[in-house]
Amino acid sequence: MPKKDRSRINLIKIATDLANQHALWEPLVSYDSAARYYVRLAREQQFEAWLLTWLPGQGTDWHDHGGSAGTFITLRGVLTEQQAEVGYGPPRIIPEGRELVAGTLRSFGLRHVHHVSNRGVEPAVSLHVYAPSLVEMHQYEARGDQLHVVSSQLVGVSWLSLLTGRTPRLP
């Protein structure tokens, strides 16, 4: 029986290395007043990376990453992340948000539920790395301090539209 490859991918190193390649991502920075702008930076066998931009007031709905772990780094501006405690039963909203200033790196595991937004007055840019590549996401609705799944999206237009509110522009 062949051995399984159990090597772990270092999402922090990948995100940091990509973030330091300014010539790779800076020419791709663009802003869209209707919805967050995004572009895929890399897609490898073990991971994928995305560049997202956020004008003031833009953000995601509550969502998970369908079993993918991730790391993201704020490249410019300030983002705010609010997360939920995931255990038995519906996820519970943790009231305190966390500010992610430029240079802040945030990693999460396979069962992370959160929403991210730009509550500041300046545009923001972030770089996100997921492993394995995203194939499914779930959107949640808040009912009191609990979150309930309202939709499941498979890879493609449906999940990109869920996070951005518009039709994707894939490279």
Side-chain angles (χ1 to χ4, degrees), residues 100-122:
L100 307 167
V101 299
T104 303
L105 190 116
R106 176 77 172 98
S107 291
F108 53 86
L110 304 174
R111 298 183 63 212
H112 189 67
V113 178
H114 69 163
H115 78 80
V116 179
S117 61
N118 181 351
R119 296 182 185 170
V121 296
E122 298 293 326

Side-chain angles (χ1 to χ4, degrees), residues 9 14 40-49 130 132-133:
I9 187 162
I14 293 167
R40 188 179 357 229
L41 288 178
R43 185 177 180 137
E44 302 294 332
Q45 184 175 353
Q46 294 184 308
F47 73 91
E48 69 181 343
Y130 304 102
S133 294

